[in-house]
Amino acid sequence: MKRAIRLWCAALAATVLTALAALSLPTAASAASLTEVTNFGANPSNLRMYLYVPDRVAPQPGLLVVVHYCTGSGPAMYSGTQYARLADQYGYIVIYPSVTRSSQCFDVYSSQALRRGGGSDPVGIMSMVEYVRARYSVDPTRIAATGTSSGAMMTNVLLGLYPDVFRAGAAFAGVPFGCFATTGGSEWNSECANGQIIRTPQQWGDLVRNAYPGYTGPRPRMQIWHGTNDEILRYPNFGEQVKQWTNLHGLSQTPTFTDSPQPGYTRTRYGGSGGDAPVEAISMQGVSHNLPVDAAQAIRFMGLDSTSPTPTPTTTTPPPTHTPSPTPSPTPSPTTPPPAAGCRVAYEVNAWNTGLTASVTITNTGGTAINGWNLAFTLPTGQTITNGWNATYSPTSGAVTARNVSYNSTIAANGSVTIGFQANHSGNTASPSSFTLNGAPCTVT
């Protein structure tokens, strides 16, 4: 009963806050609307996907995942927050995942959800992200997540598990990655909710690092919001999140900048004094779990308040881009990649006047993992690749070879990877007739 009351209170508070947030900005006239997408890919926990594409999409749009609270839904977050209205202004695309389990809380507690590729909700959300990336020229430097309450917890989980995909996040009234872990199928962790799980920065950081062993690339930037009077997810969780994300960035817990953006708010930044600091935390004096969601400040921090791609910092590992020349170098592999034992390719084309996008799903049907891969195929006459994602493409027409990038070099046995590209065409929108993976012919579906 106590658990049910807590969940109900969290949902009620979050519902009120999203209603209030909707009053913060005027709504611009738009023909765009929220659309449900089905069959978007692997979806082990039966999530629903809602997509908002503004009328005017930026040439290389940002992509934002907006995650709802307990008993909430994707449509409720769409109508109750300003993220879609801001998308109309800045041209980014918004995904609104929706839970179908009875509590309508996201899984941030099971061992599957807290391991990269382990299953449950994070895998379904990543399928949604890849679905959009296969159809739009999304700027990979501006993929972000945000959420409230249960959605804030999932924001921490997504950024922890997929640091090579998400570049930034904003968590409103959440808890650190791994704090809500439970056993026996329980969805509620009272100890974490009450702010009683206190760890060192190193311990918090290790929880994230151990969820994706071997990853050494850059970590996403994180913005953390919390009310000092939060009665559902107690205020100590604010400081524990700061510990976790500063440790992941190799930073001290001592702020490099402190100010008060409005009365009662204390904003601290770590690792920088400007708006692009790796970690930014806003403590809201006297505010309960029913905290206001400042969508404009969130998208500012996440780099979505522009229609142009964000320049890549030279001090970090270059992220993947959509143009052939600056895309990440393929993961070092033997001159001739190991032969594929078996493969299957699914190729989907969406065409318009003189352009098309292609989504290519490569499945390893063999019994052992493929480490380092290239996919060879011949584009039909008149098709020329203009940009691509999740692989490097050379040349851009004729006999093309797509090679893995750093974050998808391994295809597990019975595993898949999805790549894609945009191309011009002169009227011929046909698909390639055959594919070879590391020199071995693939079945085409």
Side-chain angles (χ1 to χ4, degrees), residues 122-400:
V123 167
I125 293 173
M126 282 305 302
S127 293
M128 300 177 194
V129 170
E130 293 308 317
Y131 177 93
V132 174
R133 293 184 73 180
R135 287 157 178 79
Y136 297 90
S137 299
V138 171
D139 175 10
T141 69
R142 295 191 298 150
I143 299 177
T146 186
T148 302
S149 192
S150 178
M153 299 186 207
M154 179 54 75
T155 297
N156 276 273
V157 169
L158 290 173
L159 269 62
L161 294 179
Y162 299 98
D164 49 341
V165 175
F166 293 96
R167 305 308 298 270
F172 290 84
V175 304
F177 177 102
C179 183
F180 234 66
T182 61
T183 57
S186 173
E187 297 183 20
W188 189 259
N189 186 322
S190 296
E191 190 179 8
C192 176
N194 290 329
Q196 297 169 339
I197 297 182
I198 308 298
R199 293 190 170 103
T200 67
Q202 183 69 35
Q203 288 171 330
W204 280 124
D206 286 346
L207 275 176
V208 176
R209 285 183 284 267
N210 292 338
Y212 183 13
Y215 178 74
T216 57
R219 293 287 173 177
R221 297 168 58 248
M222 176 61 91
Q223 185 185 60
I224 303 161
W225 300 74
H226 220 102
T228 60
N229 289 6
D230 193 317
E231 72 285 14
I232 305 299
L233 302 174
R234 302 283 181 180
Y235 185 66
N237 285 301
F238 174 71
E240 299 305 295
Q241 288 176 86
V242 171
K243 286 182 186 178
Q244 187 169 67
W245 286 99
T246 52
N247 179 264
L248 287 168
H249 283 278
L251 302 172
S252 165
Q253 282 75 61
T254 301
T256 52
F257 174 85
T258 302
D259 72 346
S260 180
Q262 68 183 71
Y265 284 31
T266 300
R267 177 170 58 190
T268 50
R269 289 172 174 159
Y270 304 82
S273 59
D276 59 351
V279 180
E280 181 174 276
I282 300 93
S283 174
M284 308 160 77
Q285 182 63 40
V287 175
S288 69
H289 194 66
N290 182 19
L291 80 179
V293 172
D294 192 333
Q297 281 299 310
I299 70 155
R300 183 273 307 165
F301 178 83
M302 294 184 288
L304 296 174
D305 59 342
S306 168
T307 58
S308 303
T310 303
T312 302
T314 57
T315 56
T316 59
T317 302
T321 66
H322 292 328
T323 53
S325 55
T327 47
S329 299
T331 298
S333 59
T335 303
T336 302
C343 52
R344 182 174 65 248
V345 171
Y347 192 96
E348 179 182 351
V349 173
N350 288 297
W352 61 95
N353 298 334
T354 59
L356 61 85
T357 59
S359 175
V360 188
T361 300
I362 309 163
T363 300
N364 174 12
T365 58
T368 59
I370 299 172
N371 295 304
W373 53 266
N374 63 57
L375 182 74
F377 55 93
T378 300
L379 280 177
T381 302
Q383 295 183 18
T384 303
I385 295 173
T386 56
N387 57 70
W389 44 94
N390 296 344
T392 59
Y393 299 83
S394 179
T396 57
S397 61
V400 175

Side-chain angles (χ1 to χ4, degrees), residues 429-441:
T429 62
S431 304
S433 59
S434 62
F435 299 83
T436 60
L437 184 65
N438 292 355

